[in-house]
Amino acid sequence: MKKWAVIALLVPVFASFAHAQTGTKKRRPLPYEFGEVVIKNYSSNAGLSPVQFDHWLHRAFYTCRLCHVDIGFGMKANATGIRAADNMKGYYCGTCHNGKMMHGDRNIFPSCASKYTKDDLKRCTRCHSKGETVPRDYSFATFVEKFPKERFGNGVDWEKAEEKGLIHPIDSIEGVSIKRPPLATQKDFAIPAKVETMPEIIFSHKKHTVWNGCELCHPEIFPTTRKGTTKFSMVEIFEGKYCGACHLTVAFPTTDCQRCHSKPVR
Amino acid sequence: MRRVAGAVVTLLFLCPGGAWGNFALPPEPPPELYGNILISRTYRESRVRPATFSHWSHRRKYTCQVCHTELGFAFRTNDTEITEAENRDGKYCGACHNGNTAFGHEDAHCDKCHNGDLGYGKEKFSEILGLPASKSGNRVDWTKALEEKRIAPAAFLAVKPSSDISYDKTLTLKAEWAFVSPAIFPHKKHTDWLECGSCHPEIFNIRKKTTKHFEMTRILKGEFCGVCHMNVAFPIRDCKRCHPSIKRSQ
């Protein structure tokens, strides 16, 4: 009897935990924080601050595909398990951050090293910068100043920025990428919304393949089955599945409903 | 002992949250103070008097989404990291308070916000008294005022939302207690001021059959409907506006 009383008392307690995540608003990341990834697999063991990676800077210069397919970065923070040794061998960050690679007329600063002087240590904090005040080469405010504005995320319409020729993300690096002729992209199509009277989603492969190719999404995030067989819901997307793999944290966020639910309701 | 434990358990199930008959409605301020806030986030360090802000004076001209989406203001006082530098840079208040749209950040205007007076500007309250009346809050039925086009608040400042989602489904939410009539939720009346993402999925997740968690006890703590309807949108004590066929209204 006592046992049952305890269980009965605990059930509502656990039930309230399960729903604790809704009810109020979360803090919305500031424009310069949106897309920030904190990498801390091994940093503290090495006596360093976690790495702060800003998507806003990198995505202006390189396509998503380049890092997430060719270089092999995972799609979730800390899922890649990057080690200093990997970077030194020229994998992950070390693919470009090797002290040799050029970006325009700038030499891309080298990442991790096994031998370093006291002066070199300053370089560590350029990436291992979470919670540190580090002088930066690029200021977010000036960097995005001339880019077309958007209400969410970084406050930048990246798609338009590329259309207008304000950014030119590179899609391949010699020795890392293998260039293949592009596949023909499907025309834009409508995905019916589950909820009645919600506008249908217009999905554009063309807009996605510019930065992602095919392989970033298929077949893992979106199985390549016949059209209409995968049913995805907003609940799953909000959990980080399907579109949510990018559109919660890096690409324009799902709060910008009308950007996808854009087909006028008749 | 067992009986007592049993009774406690039964009681807990009967009155969720242990709040039976204990709807502590918040005190109702005078109409001209309803929705007014004092922003005091950095008050201790800066020793500058808290900034006063009145929702009624702003919502006449701008919908909620202008400030709470486009300008990034949080939904709770002092949560937004507003700084003078950001305001001067055209962020937050500075998006309008720049000397063009509204008074700017020149020294002459400091006291207009940083006066620590919750009732500042109440002499202008008479300007909104001609709007459709309501029994509570600002004593103004803002929804009606908008529907009757007595006010025409702007939906955006600089960046136009992609398109309009006119999702107008009205939900009927069964009350927790058998003797309370259901609450109605009209999407349209909310999307006139806000957008989907203002409430979904953070305040209200979109899972089906989860409405049973919108208990009044949690709403009164400022969750769910209480995020807005405790201090800005028409107040909770206006029972009939959500529970239209309720017998007794405060």
Side-chain angles (χ1 to χ4, degrees), chain B:
Chain B
M1 180 61 205
R2 275 183 188 179
R3 269 193 194 170
V4 176
V8 168
V9 171
T10 329
L11 257 174
L12 267 171
F13 274 105
L14 279 177
C15 15
W20 195 4
N22 186 27
F23 276 166
L25 293 170
E28 202 180 16
E32 68 276 13
L33 292 188
Y34 188 73
N36 287 13
I37 56 168
L38 282 178
I39 304 162
S40 54
R41 193 177 64 92
T42 56
Y43 157 64
R44 276 174 205 281
E45 305 91 77
S46 66
R47 299 188 175 241
V48 175
R49 274 173 295 176
T52 188
F53 174 86
S54 119
H55 273 95
W56 60 257
S57 79
H58 288 81
R59 68 182 297 185
R60 283 183 292 173
K61 292 172 187 161
Y62 303 95
T63 59
C64 317
Q65 70 182 31
V66 169
C67 302
H68 289 289
T69 302
E70 194 175 337
L71 301 183
F73 281 102
F75 280 58
R76 215 173 16 211
T77 312
N78 292 328
D79 272 9
T80 322
E81 295 137 76
I82 313 161
T83 59
E84 189 191 336
E86 299 234 55
N87 278 338
R88 284 187 187 275
D89 195 29
K91 309 263 162 62
Y92 301 122
C93 320
C96 295
H97 287 280
N98 50 11
N100 296 324
T101 313
F103 63 84
H105 272 71
E106 296 77 32
D107 287 351
H109 303 305
C110 299
D111 286 347
K112 288 185 180 170
C113 302
H114 290 281
N115 49 42
D117 176 11
L118 197 63
Y120 184 83
K122 62 181 169 212
E123 67 281 356
K124 286 190 192 154
F125 191 71
S126 57
E127 289 171 18
I128 66 164
L129 287 178
L131 295 173
S134 130
K135 276 194 221 155
S136 55
N138 297 127
R139 305 287 192 273
V140 165
D141 189 330
W142 291 101
T143 316
K144 226 183 197 174
L146 186 65
E147 279 168 359
E148 291 177 2
K149 299 204 166 68
R150 302 282 297 278
I151 51 169
F156 68 94
L157 291 178
V159 196
K160 195 172 185 244
S162 316
S163 66
D164 193 25
I165 294 184
S166 48
Y167 184 72
D168 60 358
K169 197 173 173 190
T170 298
L171 309 176
T172 308
L173 310 165
K174 209 174 151 244
E176 287 257 298
W177 295 352
F179 54 88
V180 176
S181 66
I184 47 143
F185 177 84
H187 268 98
K188 178 72 173 56
K189 286 188 203 288
H190 289 81
T191 53
D192 283 344
W193 300 91
L194 295 152
E195 51 200 298
C196 321
S198 310
C199 306
H200 300 301
E202 289 182 2
I203 302 176
F204 294 97
N205 70 28
I206 48 158
R207 284 173 195 276
K208 276 184 189 156
K209 292 179 187 162
T210 48
T211 46
K212 62 180 174 211
H213 302 291
F214 311 172
E215 295 150 4
M216 283 304 296
T217 44
R218 290 186 68 179
I219 292 174
L220 284 164
K221 281 183 199 147
E223 291 179 69
F224 303 114
C225 320
V227 171
C228 301
H229 285 284
M230 287 291 286
N231 35 35
V232 175
F234 69 78
I236 282 305
R237 62 174 62 240
D238 208 349
C239 312
K240 266 185 182 293
R241 271 182 88 173
C242 299
H243 296 273
S245 32
I246 206 165
K247 295 241 170 63
R248 192 175 130 257
S249 184
Q250 274 262 335

Side-chain angles (χ1 to χ4, degrees), chain A residues 18-256:
Chain A
H19 297 280
Q21 69 270 40
T22 55
T24 47
K25 288 289 270 189
K26 286 185 207 141
R27 179 182 176 276
R28 179 170 134 180
L30 293 167
Y32 63 84
E33 293 169 339
F34 188 77
E36 176 191 301
V37 178
V38 177
I39 308 162
K40 50 183 176 186
N41 300 100
Y42 308 109
S43 303
S44 62
N45 285 353
L48 289 161
S49 297
V51 170
Q52 180 185 324
F53 172 85
D54 292 314
H55 270 97
W56 61 261
L57 182 62
H58 287 80
R59 68 176 297 178
F61 302 134
Y62 306 96
T63 63
C64 318
R65 203 199 59 80
L66 185 67
C67 300
H68 289 288
V69 176
D70 291 353
I71 300 178
F73 282 103
M75 298 291 282
K76 270 208 174 89
N78 296 305
T80 321
I82 310 155
R83 296 171 306 165
D86 298 330
N87 286 336
M88 282 183 252
K89 283 180 203 152
Y91 297 122
Y92 302 127
C93 317
T95 314
C96 299
H97 285 278
N98 53 12
K100 289 171 216 150
M101 182 88 81
M102 297 296 285
H103 173 253
D105 50 2
R106 293 167 73 109
N107 185 262
I108 302 175
F109 69 89
S111 52
C112 311
S114 53
K115 282 180 195 156
Y116 46 83
T117 62
K118 235 185 174 180
D119 232 29
D120 285 345
L121 263 173
K122 276 185 207 153
R123 206 183 66 228
C124 304
T125 55
R126 288 188 76 161
C127 304
H128 290 274
S129 61
K130 189 65 196 168
E132 314 265 333
T133 5
V134 183
R136 294 187 180 275
D137 284 0
Y138 297 90
S139 118
F140 177 78
T142 36
F143 190 73
V144 303
E145 206 179 359
K146 299 224 165 69
F147 292 168
K149 298 277 175 284
E150 179 48 84
R151 299 189 308 152
F152 298 94
N154 296 124
V156 172
D157 189 329
W158 292 102
E159 198 187 312
K160 266 196 201 139
E162 196 188 18
E163 266 172 39
K164 288 192 168 175
L166 296 165
I167 57 167
H168 306 276
I170 298 164
D171 192 40
S172 72
I173 298 176
E174 228 186 285
V176 178
S177 317
I178 296 164
K179 277 210 163 184
R180 306 221 191 275
L183 293 174
T185 42
Q186 239 176 343
K187 275 189 188 151
D188 295 1
F189 58 88
I191 305 168
K194 269 187 170 182
V195 178
E196 224 179 303
T197 79
M198 268 303 276
E200 293 190 350
I201 298 125
I202 304 288
F203 178 81
S204 166
H205 263 111
K206 204 174 146 218
K207 284 183 183 176
H208 285 83
T209 51
V210 176
W211 290 333
N212 303 309
C214 313
E215 61 276 43
L216 188 63
C217 307
H218 300 300
E220 288 179 2
I221 301 174
F222 291 94
T224 32
T225 48
R226 224 175 330 144
K227 201 195 264 177
T229 46
T230 318
K231 300 265 181 235
F232 24 89
S233 68
M234 281 311 298
V235 172
E236 290 168 291
I237 292 171
F238 287 141
E239 282 166 358
K241 291 183 194 163
Y242 305 116
C243 320
C246 300
H247 284 285
L248 289 176
T249 45
V250 176
F252 69 80
T254 46
T255 33
D256 198 356

